[in-house]
Amino acid sequence: MANKVAQDLRTKTPDLLKEQLLQLRREHFNLRFQKANGQLENTDRMRQVRREIAKVKTIMGEKKRAEAAA
């Protein structure tokens, strides 16, 4: 399943990846805010979002290195 997610990310353009990264960072901020206020119900979502951010950043780095090599 992780490979499928990575494949989906690799098909996106750099602009779409930046937009997704921005959305994930906003969600992570909101989750941190909810946790601080004691309103967070799904604590596992924080971990999922952090990992999704890492995946997006990894794919962005791969694309940047491939572009520099070309």
Side-chain angles (χ1 to χ4, degrees):
M1 182 171 171
N3 290 336
K4 183 163 178 63
V5 172
Q7 283 179 331
D8 290 342
L9 289 174
R10 284 188 179 97
T11 61
K12 293 186 176 184
T13 64
D15 290 335
L16 288 175
L17 288 172
K18 287 179 187 177
E19 181 63 33
Q20 184 170 0
L21 182 61
L22 184 61
Q23 290 173 353
L24 288 168
R25 285 183 172 167
R26 284 182 183 146
E27 182 178 357
H28 189 247
F29 173 80
N30 290 332
L31 290 170
R32 287 190 342 241
F33 197 83
Q34 288 176 10
K35 182 179 180 189
N37 289 327
Q39 297 174 344
L40 185 62
E41 294 177 8
N42 185 4
T43 56
D44 190 49
R45 183 66 185 146
M46 287 187 72
R47 180 180 180 198
Q48 292 170 350
V49 170
R50 277 197 325 266
R51 288 180 178 213
E52 288 177 29
I53 289 171
K55 288 174 189 171
V56 170
K57 290 175 82 173
T58 300
I59 301 300
M60 289 174 72
E62 288 176 359
K63 286 184 178 272
K64 187 179 279 189
R65 284 190 298 276
E67 183 180 299

